[in-house]
């Protein structure tokens, strides 16, 4: 069964299916890239397809009332500071990437962070600190950042160290290979292969059962892992579907093969000791899902390379650890 014909059930399936289409389009050069010569994508009327959220979406986004922000709370401190401190990335296309021309950070994760900042402070001001996958829990525990938006998979083990609001997006692990490689078509072909993974990511624990006999080589960041794949330091790169979609869009020398072989829910990382802040962020997620803001952000970013409309967002608290 091809990626395009995958059929999943439930809320997560919608996100997975939509993202799968994104990967297929990106991998085959049909993502509406003006340099590819490919025709414009059907569907998504009026979205523009440039990966940038319209200013009107920010303008219409909700702002918390004074009653929503108790004195002395984390939200109160952020409001007084005037910006949200975010742990994230600057190099993940469609998720969180710094525009080299405007200097702004764009993508689904980055724009969700801006909307949370607006909900708290009335402005979309954020200060983004780039972090690796090994240091996220430590940054939150030390309160070096207020939140982490970084395709942060919710797991029970991580939930013993930090708190997760959400989930706010779902995806799954998939396989990326060099574009000229025809020997690997799915995770089943990774036995005996050297597989690149991100340090401290779900791939580390999922691969031994999904691909027995595979050898892992770990890297601290997604760009390092992608570069290692292109330099033939490994046979394949196993990572989340959305990250591989970003990679395939930005790197013509790679493609995504097979189907996602796990289902993963992304959460907003928070300090575990602040239950009040988690409740506040979950209420904000409920608001932006109900008023259509979430869908508009998805359509303008990840959805800019997907045929069809936005998926149904995942139910809050639906992941073990959220």
């Amino acid at each position: 069964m091809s990626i395009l014909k995958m059929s999943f059930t439930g809320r997560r399936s919608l996100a997975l299916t939509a993202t799968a289409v994104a990967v297929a389009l990106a991998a085959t050069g049909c993502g509406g890239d003006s340099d590819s010569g490919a025709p414009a994508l059907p569907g998504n009327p009026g979205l523009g397809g440039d990966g940038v959220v319209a200013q009107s979406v920010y303008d219409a986004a909700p702002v918390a009332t004074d009653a929503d922000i108790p004195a002395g709370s984390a939200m109160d401190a952020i409001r007084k500071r005037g910006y949200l401190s975010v742990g994230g990335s600057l190099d993940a296309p469609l998720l969180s990437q710094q525009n080299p021309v405007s200097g702004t950070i764009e993508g689904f994760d980055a724009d969700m962070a801006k909307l949370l900042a607006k909900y708290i402070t009335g402005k979309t001001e954020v200060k983004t600190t780039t972090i690796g996958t090994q240091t996220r829990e430590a940054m939150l525990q030390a309160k070096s950042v207020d939140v982490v938006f970084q395709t942060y998979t919710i797991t029970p083990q991580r939930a013993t160290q930090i708190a997760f609001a959400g989930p706010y997006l779902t995806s799954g692990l998939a396989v990326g290979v060099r574009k000229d490689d025809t020997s690997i078509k799915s995770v089943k072909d990774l036995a005996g292969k050297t597989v690149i993974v991100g340090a401290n990511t779900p791939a580390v624990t999922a691969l031994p059962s999904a691909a027995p006999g595979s050898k892992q080589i770990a890297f601290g960041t997604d760009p390092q892992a992608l570069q290692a794949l292109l330099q033939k330091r490994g046979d394949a790169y196993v990572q989340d579907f959305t990250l591989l979609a970003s990679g395939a869009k930005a790197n013509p020398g790679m493609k995504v093969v097979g189907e996602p072989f796990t289902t993963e829910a992304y959460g907003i990382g928070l300090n575990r000791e602040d239950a009040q802040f988690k409740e506040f962020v979950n209420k904000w997620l409920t608001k932006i899902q109900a008023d259509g803001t979430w869908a508009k952000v998805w359509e303008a970013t990840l959805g800019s390379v997907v045929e069809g409309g936005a998926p149904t967002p995942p139910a809050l608290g639906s992941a073990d650890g959220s």
Side-chain angles (χ1 to χ4, degrees), residues 172-177 184 186-191 193-208 210-211 214-219 221-222 225-226 229 234-244 254-257 259-262 264:
L173 290 174
V175 181
V177 299
I184 300 173
S186 76
V187 69
K188 296 179 181 178
D189 298 321
L190 295 182
K193 303 287 188 180
T194 298
V195 181
I196 296 164
V197 298
N200 191 30
T201 66
V204 173
T205 53
L207 261 181
S214 60
K215 176 185 175 184
Q216 294 185 21
I217 177 171
F219 291 87
T221 69
D222 184 59
L226 285 170
L229 175 67
D235 300 301
Y237 176 29
V238 170
Q239 180 55 282
D240 182 86
F241 224 118
T242 55
L243 289 178
L244 291 179
M254 70 164 288
K255 61 183 178 182
V256 182
V257 296
E259 306 168 9
F261 58 94
T262 66
E264 296 177 17

Side-chain angles (χ1 to χ4, degrees), residues 96-307:
S96 185
Q97 183 181 38
Q98 188 163 31
N99 185 313
V101 176
S102 66
T104 59
I105 305 173
E106 301 164 348
F108 186 85
D109 279 347
D111 289 302
M112 290 289 285
K114 293 175 190 174
L115 290 169
L116 178 57
K118 182 179 179 184
Y119 189 63
I120 300 172
T121 70
K123 302 177 296 183
T124 57
E125 296 295 323
V126 302
K127 178 181 178 182
T128 300
T129 301
T130 56
I131 55 178
T133 54
Q134 312 99 315
T135 57
R136 292 181 292 200
E137 288 84 11
M139 295 283 282
L140 288 168
Q141 289 168 344
K143 299 186 178 180
S144 300
V145 295
D146 299 317
V147 296
V148 169
F149 279 93
Q150 199 183 38
T151 55
Y152 203 173
T153 303
I154 300 171
T155 69
Q157 189 276 332
R158 285 175 173 165
T160 65
Q161 304 176 67
I162 58 126
F164 285 106
Y168 69 103
L169 184 68
T170 52
S171 186
L173 290 174
V175 181
V177 299
R178 290 180 292 278
K179 199 163 188 176
D180 59 356
D181 189 324
T182 59
S183 66
I184 300 173
K185 301 184 184 303
S186 76
V187 69
K188 296 179 181 178
D189 298 321
L190 295 182
K193 303 287 188 180
T194 298
V195 181
I196 296 164
V197 298
N200 191 30
T201 66
V204 173
T205 53
L207 261 181
S209 57
S214 60
K215 176 185 175 184
Q216 294 185 21
I217 177 171
F219 291 87
T221 69
D222 184 59
Q224 290 173 348
L226 285 170
Q227 190 66 15
L229 175 67
L230 297 175
Q231 292 174 342
K232 300 185 179 181
R233 298 169 68 181
D235 300 301
Y237 176 29
V238 170
Q239 180 55 282
D240 182 86
F241 224 118
T242 55
L243 289 178
L244 291 179
S246 296
K249 183 175 178 64
N251 296 278
M254 70 164 288
K255 61 183 178 182
V256 182
V257 296
E259 306 168 9
F261 58 94
T262 66
T263 300
E264 296 177 17
Y266 294 152
I268 302 167
L270 306 169
N271 184 284
R272 191 168 183 269
E273 305 304 319
D274 195 343
Q276 186 183 43
F277 192 27
K278 176 179 175 177
E279 181 181 2
F280 176 88
V281 175
N282 275 335
K283 286 183 177 178
W284 163 73
L285 278 172
T286 301
K287 284 180 182 290
I288 66 168
Q289 290 175 357
D291 69 9
T293 303
W294 184 96
K296 290 175 182 175
V297 173
W298 191 93
E299 288 167 344
T301 55
L302 291 169
S304 67
V305 292
V306 174
E307 181 179 0

